[in-house]
Structure formats: C-alpha cells, structure tokens
C-alpha cells in the first residue's frame, strides 16, 4: 500500500433509480488508497437508496465494520 493522503472535495449524490429526485451536494473527506464510499445513513434515507449487499470494511485504524 502506498502513502495515504487526505483530500477534501465536493460530491454530488443521486439515486440512479429515481432520476427525477433531487440531488444532494455535500462536502466529503477523501482518503487515498480506499476502495469504497461510506455514506451516512441520513443521506441514504434522503436519496431513498436500497441496500444491494453488505460488505465488511476495514477502517484506517484497523477496526472492521
């Protein structure tokens, strides 16, 4: 694994199943060398996202969720 960096960015989220639903723009913390996006539950509720599958992830501190 390479050296990790931290980047702040703006991200626009939407639900591709509901294209007419309003998009949400939010500020995000990006950590390089990551593979997955972790989003807060309140954003998933606002976008009416459905769970397709659950995956175990390992955080930078080694904690598994």
């Amino acid at each position: 694994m390479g050296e990790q960096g931290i980047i702040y960015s703006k991200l626009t989220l939407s639900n591709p199943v509901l294209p007419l639903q309003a998009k949400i723009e939010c500020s995000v913390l990006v950590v390089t060398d990551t593979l997955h996006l972790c989003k807060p539950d309140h954003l998933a509720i606002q976008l009416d996202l459905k769970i397709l599958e659950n995956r175990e992830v390992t955080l930078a501190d080694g904690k598994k969720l």
Side-chain angles (χ1 to χ4, degrees), residues 2-5 7 14-15 18-19 21 23 29 31 33-34 38-40 46-47 50-51 54 60-61 64:
E3 187 176 324
Q4 289 187 346
I7 301 166
S14 65
N15 185 338
L18 302 171
Q21 186 175 15
K23 296 177 169 110
L29 170 65
V31 179
D33 286 348
T34 60
C38 296
K39 46 76 193 118
Q46 288 176 338
L47 292 168
K50 305 298 180 211
I51 296 173
N54 288 310
D61 65 1
K64 294 189 182 287

Side-chain angles (χ1 to χ4, degrees), residues 13 26 37-45 49:
L13 301 172
C26 52
L37 168 69
C38 296
K39 46 76 193 118
D41 287 338
H42 71 274
L43 290 178
I45 291 167
L49 298 175

Side-chain angles (χ1 to χ4, degrees), residues 17-37:
V17 177
L18 302 171
L20 299 178
Q21 186 175 15
K23 296 177 169 110
I24 297 174
E25 186 173 293
C26 52
S27 295
V28 296
L29 170 65
V30 179
V31 179
T32 59
D33 286 348
T34 60
L35 298 174
H36 302 286
L37 168 69

